[in-house]
């Protein structure tokens, strides 16, 4: 399921993201006022635990001990809430990386943090980049990584391409790992059992598989580390992330040298 952010009222969403007037709290009865941040934090907690499908204004209200209607004083609708969630979560990422050891070490540290971030908040992987929220968290994230990448000395247009490549690589590999975890939780068949059953069927139904698809057969598979209990697909996603990052940065260094 792909979810598009920035679909609510533009003026209200942007005002909330940049906190124009958002600090004003309206009390309702004897209970202390809520805040936009409390509502957003509750929504993030729901999405982290149960995914985007579980997110609703009612669910957030229940978590805070309020009705859904009580939340509309602070956040106009679920569409604006989604923008706030995306931007607030991004603010968790580090704002600065040490460049003393060079751009590559800093960029690798950033990519590692982004990988961890996506697995901590897998719902972020369902939010399309097609409509950015244009909030301070999003801008701060870009500022952080661009400070690293401009240290390469590459011209701006090449830095833009490297930036996009880093995000695509991390997001793509993290999505596979996150979906592998989700499948293990929601499908009543273990990954090991799934592969064992279907590979056995392939041997039975397509005994000439290696002859028909020699390149696929040649690719083979890596022997797992006996001390690594990570499920196959998640492990492969992690190895793809690490190898892809190395190849990408080797290419950046070649571009710098050239």
């Amino acid at each position: 399921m792909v979810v598009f952010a920035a679909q609510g009222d533009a003026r209200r969403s942007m005002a909330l993201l940049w906190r124009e007037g958002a600090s004003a709290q309206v009390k309702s009865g004897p209970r202390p006022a809520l805040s936009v941040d409390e509502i957003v934090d509750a929504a993030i907690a729901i999405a982290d635990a149960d995914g985007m499908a579980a997110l609703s204004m009612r669910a957030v209200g229940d978590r805070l001990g309020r009705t859904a209607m009580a939340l509309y004083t602070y956040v106009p609708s679920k569409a604006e809430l989604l923008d706030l969630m995306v931007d607030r979560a991004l603010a968790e990422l580090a704002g600065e990386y040490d460049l003393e050891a060079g751009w590559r070490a800093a960029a690798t540290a950033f990519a590692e943090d982004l990988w961890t971030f996506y697995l901590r908040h897998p719902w972020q992987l369902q939010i399309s980049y097609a409509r950015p929220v244009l909030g301070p968290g999003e801008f701060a994230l870009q500022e952080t990584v661009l400070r690293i990448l401009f240290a390469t000395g590459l011209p701006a247009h090449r830095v833009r391409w490297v930036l996009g490549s880093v995000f695509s690589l991390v997001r793509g590999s993290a999505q596979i790992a996150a979906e592998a975890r989700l499948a293990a939780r929601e499908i009543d068949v273990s990954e090991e059992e799934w592969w064992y059953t279907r590979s056995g069927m392939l041997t039975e139904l397509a005994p000439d598989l290696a002859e028909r698809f020699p390149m696929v057969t040649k690719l083979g598979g890596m022997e797992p580390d006996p001390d690594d209990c990570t499920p196959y697909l998640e492990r492969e996603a992690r190895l793809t992330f690490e190898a892809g990052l190395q190849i990408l940065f080797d290419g950046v260094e070649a571009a710098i040298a050239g």
Side-chain angles (χ1 to χ4, degrees), residues 196-254:
Y196 179 80
T197 300
R198 280 161 177 75
S199 62
M201 289 181 183
L202 271 177
T203 301
E204 174 190 343
L205 299 172
D208 60 343
L209 190 72
E211 290 74 27
R212 292 172 62 186
F213 305 103
M215 295 300 102
V216 176
T217 304
K218 183 178 181 179
L219 186 65
M222 295 181 63
E223 288 296 322
D225 182 344
D227 297 324
D228 186 357
C229 298
T230 307
Y232 166 77
L233 197 58
E234 182 176 343
R235 183 175 66 251
E236 286 295 303
R238 175 67 195 188
L239 292 171
T240 298
F241 160 67
E242 293 173 353
L245 205 62
Q246 181 176 346
I247 293 168
L248 172 60
F249 291 163
D250 283 351
V252 173
E253 289 189 337

Side-chain angles (χ1 to χ4, degrees), residues 99-113:
L99 285 163
E100 188 172 342
W103 70 266
R104 183 163 183 159
T108 300
F110 167 79
E112 290 278 359
D113 286 349

